[in-house]
Amino acid sequence: MATAADHPLAKYRHKRDFNRTTEPHGQEATAPDGHTFVVQKHAASRLHYDFRLEMNGVLVSWALPKGPSFDPADKRIAVHVEDHPLSYGSFEGVIPPKQYGAGSVIVWDHGTWEPQGDPARSLAAGKILFKLHGQKLAGTWELVRIAKPGDKQDLWILFKKRDAFARPKGEYDVLRALPDSVISRPLASVASATRSESPAATAADTAGAIKGSLPERLAPQLATLSSGIPAFGRWVYEIKLDGYRVMARIEGDRVKLITRGGHDWAAKMPDLVEAIRELGLRSAWLDGEIVVMGTNGLPSFHGLQKAFDGKSGANAIEYFLFDVPYLDGYDLRGVELRDRRALLKGVVERKGVNRIRFSADFQGEPGAILQSACQMGLEGVIAKREDSLYASTRSDAWLKLKCKLRQEFVVCGYTDRSDGSTAIGSLLLGVYSDAGQLESVGGVGTGWSAAEAAELKKKLVKFEIDKAPFDAGPTKPGSWSRRAAGSERWVQPRLVAEVRYADMTPDGHIRHATYVALRSDKAPKDVRRETLQAQAGVPLQRVDRASTSGVKITHGDRVIDPSSGLTKLDLVRYYESVADVMLPHLTGRPCSLVRGPTGVEGQLFFQKHSERTAIAGLKEMDSALWPDHDALLEVGSALALVGAAQMNVIEFHTWNSTEKKIDAPDRLILDLDPGDGTPWAHVQEAAMLVQSFLQELGLEAWLKTSGGKGLHVVVPITPKLGYETVKGFSAAVVQHLARVIPSRFVAKSGPANRIGKIFVDYLRNGHGATTAAAFSARARPGLGVSMPVAWDELPTLKGGHHWTIATAREHLSFQRIDPWAGYWTKRQTLTSAMKLLGFKAPRRAKA
């Protein structure tokens, strides 16, 4: 007869007091046929990961001290522990102190698992082979028991099997790349659920297909230029063909060939129209690229242009099809890409029509695919999610991975050659902003033959106008080119040119540009600046091992902190991981950089201006913000943040005012700087005293660690008063504290004045003064981080460097509520506080 002790959850329940913990009591499932899995990140006495597989109505569980790894060489210890109820799979929360497993728990990953063989027999035999379909984990894995009979712990090892999802740890560390909860920050599924390997033969049999009439118009789905390749997931990779995007609309014998600009080019390619008719489709929208193949077997953009200029026939054009959003009476936009492409491939291969080709895809190591494409001289590849639906917009379900930067620009003018010939010397280019303004992006002066240069001038002369067509951009004569002022010839923005270039300058101009060709398939008004970015919801890895966010990282393995062994790449990865929370503290605010070319123990440089430093994404602010000084710097993007770290920047220090109101601070900072011999408990006490005094003055303040020895108390204020007033008020606060509590505070700086005491540094509030930004690392042994914290966390802190670049991101992954959420919306002035303190503002102090 079974007893309570025989229940599969008996051990689980025995270890927990459900009157004190919010963990579920749980029941054994009555229908033990599910195959869910969950990985919970558990910050108990030591951080570990709990790996759980659903079997026989419970979650069979293992504790992984180091967590899972995509590297097959990483054999991770897994301690087999008590079974957990299925309801535990959604548990997130804090297990109270003195309870079993006390600490924070988040759901790090969940999904389904696919056993290879009988799960119960595999468990009993001590060897479980399975596939995972999660938001972070995917592919084939294996659990193997290594414990011997009589061992105190039932030890197993978990490791990744070699397949398309395997990654060397040096290239990709999933724990560091994706540390957060999939409940609070869900990701798209890494791999779709198990499906039939036999795709539907017709549109009518395909899941997601909707019977409906043929759309009159249909805009193409567009890809987003990406800074990296997907770190994992079900993606297909197609060659980025160097041609014109064309969608074919088929209605009986009527065929239209619609360009990106919405023009029907069927009359230009009658032979291609006839070839499409041979497919025998009653109604369809086909999506693809028209291409002319060169003698080297690769797409030739110049060959495509010649096919339209009458010098060679259009019969050289081939149509590479890659998608089918509508087919034979069924709308397929709600069908997954995998099934759409299977249908399309069947259509193309069934008829075998000359000049109609299916655009092949490649599944495998994405870095190797891209590298091969670049080595072949191709433009790049397009990555597409297998489970994505067709959307007539730009989407991160399709990503452009380019070997070189290349895009279309509007031709806004030109310059003549200095020898007086009938050819152009350079083209002056622009792009339209999202607001519809035409902005300058500089020019291009190479890439054409003598005949092309003459032909370009012949076309442009027809559209000449008297002044520059730009709505925004440079206004000084001669600033569009290196030639003398007045040498520019402006034209109506009617033509579009495709250009290759190396990168962008901080003011948005292209560098090292090369002309490719004019494009007639895209309207000038549709030309936008393509920004290189990592897309939200699409986990990315670097294009090669030494790059991240599109920035080439050199000497990434160099140790920059001997005390911890942390490397330059560790610092870069840290800044990349906190970019989304750090950028609000940097954007629009002048920033100074602390650089350490040899690490924290070498010489450090404090940099306020660009000084010809080529940092990707770094922006120079308007020089008028600080007259008689070089332009200030802004770190306003993830690219700039990572680019700075690549150039050995360790710390980021910001002003107390923003570009919008540069002379009126929008915050006041009190830096609690302890002198030698001051116990940490006194620093904590001092922070509480400062907060209490500010509250008496009617001011709410926020707290962050300094990353060094002390703490920063930050008071947001409405930007109305000038720096002199704000600094004077902060000095008055510090003087009051030193006068009332002289045993703790001093109002004078200098080591001799603050032995055993705390100097509350008000000098941070002067014009041009800076403070380490929130989340900035500090160039000191340990690489501490300036971390925003809640006031009730203060007693738990062990120092101003409580978190380092090695631990800060893990802390944020468990953070359920942003302790500074209210900071951004707080509106308060110093007026009442100044009266209560008896402080009088100096004359003419207002900004």
Side-chain angles (χ1 to χ4, degrees):
M1 180 177 178
T3 65
D6 297 323
H7 194 280
L9 299 177
K11 186 179 293 186
Y12 165 83
R13 292 169 179 166
H14 176 71
K15 291 183 175 184
R16 290 160 177 83
D17 181 353
F18 294 103
N19 293 318
R20 300 190 62 186
T21 181
T22 58
E23 295 167 281
H25 183 271
Q27 299 294 328
E28 183 182 4
T30 57
D33 58 355
H35 287 112
T36 63
F37 87 91
V38 64
V39 181
Q40 282 159 313
K41 187 175 176 179
H42 191 172
S45 55
R46 290 186 179 181
L47 178 68
H48 67 277
Y49 293 76
D50 295 312
F51 184 80
R52 314 187 195 280
L53 300 175
E54 179 183 352
M55 290 189 210
N56 299 319
V58 296
L59 292 173
V60 181
S61 301
W62 290 263
L64 307 177
K66 294 186 177 181
S69 169
F70 273 96
D71 190 340
D74 276 346
K75 305 296 192 286
R76 295 297 171 90
I77 291 294
V79 184
H80 187 202
V81 296
E82 72 276 8
D83 296 341
H84 283 53
L86 295 184
S87 54
Y88 205 96
S90 60
F91 172 70
E92 288 195 333
V94 179
I95 302 173
K98 299 184 180 179
Q99 294 298 298
Y100 177 74
S104 298
V105 177
I106 61 172
V107 176
W108 182 79
D109 193 20
H110 65 188
T112 61
W113 72 290
E114 187 181 337
Q116 308 296 294
D118 181 79
R121 291 183 179 178
S122 297
L123 178 65
K127 187 174 182 179
I128 311 172
L129 185 67
F130 53 93
K131 291 183 179 179
L132 294 179
H133 306 282
Q135 294 190 39
K136 298 177 181 177
L137 300 181
T140 304
W141 300 71
E142 190 167 16
L143 274 162
V144 177
R145 179 185 284 123
I146 58 173
K148 298 177 181 178
D151 285 354
K152 291 183 178 180
Q153 290 184 313
D154 187 11
L155 296 182
W156 297 55
I157 55 173
L158 172 72
F159 57 95
K160 181 78 187 67
K161 302 292 282 187
R162 297 189 183 278
D163 60 13
F165 294 98
R167 298 283 185 276
K169 186 182 177 184
E171 178 182 300
Y172 180 66
D173 183 347
V174 67
L175 303 181
R176 296 187 64 174
L178 299 169
D180 301 313
S181 160
V182 293
I183 293 179
S184 62
R185 296 187 181 183
L187 301 169
S189 177
V190 175
S192 55
T194 305
R195 339 174 28 157
S196 170
E197 293 302 320
S198 300
T202 67
D205 298 329
T206 304
I210 300 174
K211 192 170 185 178
S213 58
L214 179 70
E216 186 64 32
R217 294 180 178 84
L218 201 155
Q221 178 159 345
L222 303 177
T224 298
L225 182 63
S226 177
S227 61
I229 56 182
F232 48 74
R234 294 282 183 99
W235 296 77
V236 297
Y237 298 86
E238 300 173 46
I239 296 300
K240 190 176 189 309
L241 298 166
D242 203 358
Y244 285 156
R245 181 77 172 274
V246 169
M247 296 189 73
R249 184 184 187 275
I250 304 168
E251 188 174 17
D253 284 338
R254 296 181 59 192
V255 176
K256 293 183 178 180
L257 298 176
I258 311 300
T259 68
R260 281 277 306 276
H263 304 293
D264 183 3
W265 280 10
K268 293 185 177 184
M269 296 176 283
D271 292 343
L272 185 58
V273 168
E274 191 57 39
I276 292 172
R277 288 187 181 129
E278 291 180 30
L279 292 173
L281 302 176
R282 298 188 304 273
S283 61
W285 273 97
L286 307 177
D287 196 356
E289 193 102 352
I290 57 171
V291 173
V292 168
M293 305 302 288
T295 55
N296 59 357
L298 300 177
S300 168
F301 192 76
H302 287 287
L304 179 61
Q305 287 205 311
K306 289 180 179 180
F308 287 108
D309 64 11
K311 296 177 181 177
S312 61
N315 57 2
I317 295 174
E318 297 184 74
Y319 193 17
F320 283 77
L321 296 175
F322 48 70
D323 215 324
V324 53
Y326 185 94
L327 181 64
D328 286 341
Y330 286 87
D331 191 328
L332 304 182
R333 286 175 286 185
V335 173
E336 293 184 2
L337 175 71
R338 172 183 180 273
D339 294 332
R340 296 198 310 271
R341 285 181 55 79
L343 285 171
L344 179 62
K345 186 177 182 181
V347 168
V348 175
E349 293 182 349
R350 185 166 57 248
K351 288 290 184 177
V353 176
N354 188 32
R355 298 174 57 200
I356 306 292
R357 300 174 63 174
F358 179 72
S359 177
D361 58 72
F362 306 89
Q363 291 181 309
E365 159 54 36
I369 295 172
L370 179 60
Q371 185 179 18
S372 296
C374 296
Q375 289 174 345
M376 291 172 64
L378 295 166
E379 189 179 347
V381 299
I382 302 290
K384 299 177 181 179
R385 285 195 62 92
E386 267 198 352
D387 59 355
S388 64
L389 310 182
Y390 195 94
S392 295
T393 185
R394 194 171 298 281
S395 165
D396 61 11
W398 291 14
L399 301 176
K400 285 187 285 190
L401 314 177
K402 292 189 176 184
C403 299
K404 293 182 180 179
L405 295 176
R406 173 170 165 169
Q407 76 157 91
E408 303 88 9
F409 295 103
V410 180
V411 179
C412 301
Y414 66 98
T415 62
D416 289 319
R417 289 174 58 92
S418 58
D419 60 6
S421 70
T422 58
I424 62 165
S426 65
L427 290 179
L428 309 174
L429 307 172
V431 291
Y432 281 95
S433 69
D434 291 336
Q437 291 188 316
L438 185 59
E439 302 173 343
S440 169
V441 294
V444 56
T446 187
W448 41 66
S449 65
E452 286 176 317
E455 184 65 24
L456 282 169
K457 185 170 182 178
K458 186 177 179 180
K459 290 181 178 180
L460 292 172
V461 166
K462 300 175 183 178
F463 306 127
E464 280 198 14
I465 54 178
D466 294 332
K467 62 178 182 178
F470 301 118
D471 299 299
T475 56
K476 296 179 181 178
S479 60
W480 295 276
S481 73
R482 297 177 181 175
R483 298 187 179 275
S487 65
E488 302 93 352
R489 301 287 183 264
W490 303 113
V491 300
Q492 298 171 19
R494 293 190 180 186
L495 301 180
V496 175
E498 184 156 352
V499 174
R500 286 193 300 266
Y501 61 97
D503 57 16
M504 288 274 187
T505 64
D507 58 355
H509 281 198
I510 55 177
R511 296 180 66 246
H512 306 307
T514 302
Y515 171 84
V516 177
L518 290 181
R519 297 199 66 132
S520 55
D521 61 324
K522 190 168 184 178
K525 283 286 186 180
D526 293 334
V527 174
R528 298 287 189 273
R529 189 189 302 273
E530 288 188 342
T531 53
L532 194 66
Q533 57 186 331
Q535 297 299 307
V538 181
L540 300 176
Q541 71 180 52
R542 296 174 306 286
V543 172
D544 59 71
R545 291 191 182 189
S547 69
T548 183
S549 294
V551 177
K552 183 76 174 181
I553 305 301
T554 57
H555 309 295
D557 58 351
R558 187 178 71 236
V559 174
I560 60 173
D561 175 33
S563 70
S564 62
L566 292 167
T567 66
K568 178 180 177 179
L569 188 56
D570 290 325
L571 182 66
V572 171
R573 284 177 169 171
Y574 165 72
Y575 278 126
E576 184 180 38
S577 73
V578 298
D580 59 332
V581 291
M582 186 174 180
L583 285 174
H585 298 270
L586 298 173
T587 304
R589 203 176 289 274
C591 185
S592 298
L593 314 173
V594 176
R595 302 174 65 190
T598 59
V600 300
E601 293 187 349
Q603 187 174 4
L604 302 176
F605 302 90
F606 196 78
Q607 180 178 337
K608 295 183 178 181
H609 314 289
S610 65
E611 300 170 5
R612 298 182 180 178
T613 302
I615 294 179
L618 192 67
K619 176 185 174 183
E620 284 191 342
M621 291 182 157
D622 189 341
S623 58
L625 293 175
W626 201 5
D628 303 322
H629 290 79
D630 291 337
L632 296 166
L633 303 177
E634 179 193 9
V635 180
S637 67
L639 178 63
L641 191 62
V642 174
Q646 151 59 16
M647 295 300 291
N648 304 308
V649 174
I650 300 175
E651 301 186 9
F652 297 85
H653 291 241
T654 54
W655 283 36
N656 284 348
S657 58
T658 65
E659 187 175 17
K660 292 181 179 178
K661 290 191 175 182
I662 196 66
D663 293 321
D666 64 352
R667 71 185 185 196
L668 177 154
I669 292 181
L670 298 174
D671 178 6
L672 278 62
D673 191 0
D676 292 341
T678 305
W680 173 246
H682 286 189
V683 181
Q684 293 170 299
E685 178 192 43
M688 296 301 299
L689 291 170
V690 170
Q691 185 203 26
S692 297
F693 182 52
L694 291 172
Q695 287 176 336
E696 290 179 16
L697 295 176
L699 297 172
E700 188 173 356
W702 277 258
L703 180 69
K704 67 185 181 80
T705 63
S706 68
K709 295 189 299 180
L711 296 166
H712 293 161
V713 177
V714 186
V715 182
I717 55 177
T718 303
K720 292 183 177 180
L721 302 174
Y723 270 100
E724 189 177 358
T725 298
V726 174
K727 179 183 176 183
F729 172 78
S730 64
V733 169
V734 173
Q735 290 162 2
H736 176 86
L737 291 169
R739 185 168 58 251
V740 174
I741 316 176
S743 62
R744 289 286 187 266
F745 298 104
V746 293
K748 293 183 179 181
S749 61
N753 296 318
R754 50 185 170 137
I755 296 176
K757 298 182 181 181
I758 296 162
F759 170 57
V760 183
D761 189 353
Y762 61 87
L763 301 174
R764 305 283 183 185
N765 300 300
H767 183 273
T770 61
T771 306
F775 303 103
S776 174
R778 303 306 302 273
R780 304 178 183 189
L783 287 169
V785 168
S786 180
M787 177 68 72
V789 295
W791 282 102
D792 58 10
E793 288 182 272
L794 179 59
T796 67
L797 301 181
K798 298 178 181 179
H801 54 282
H802 186 93
W803 291 281
T804 71
I805 66 167
T807 61
R809 192 60 185 84
E810 293 289 6
H811 165 71
L812 293 174
S813 71
F814 287 103
Q815 199 172 70
R816 302 172 71 85
I817 299 175
D818 179 4
W820 275 40
Y823 173 86
W824 305 104
T825 56
K826 183 64 178 178
R827 300 291 180 265
Q828 58 188 357
T829 66
L830 297 181
T831 306
S832 297
M834 289 165 60
K835 290 180 180 178
L836 289 172
L837 193 59
F839 173 76
K840 293 184 178 180
R843 292 182 179 180
R844 295 187 298 177
K846 288 191 176 184

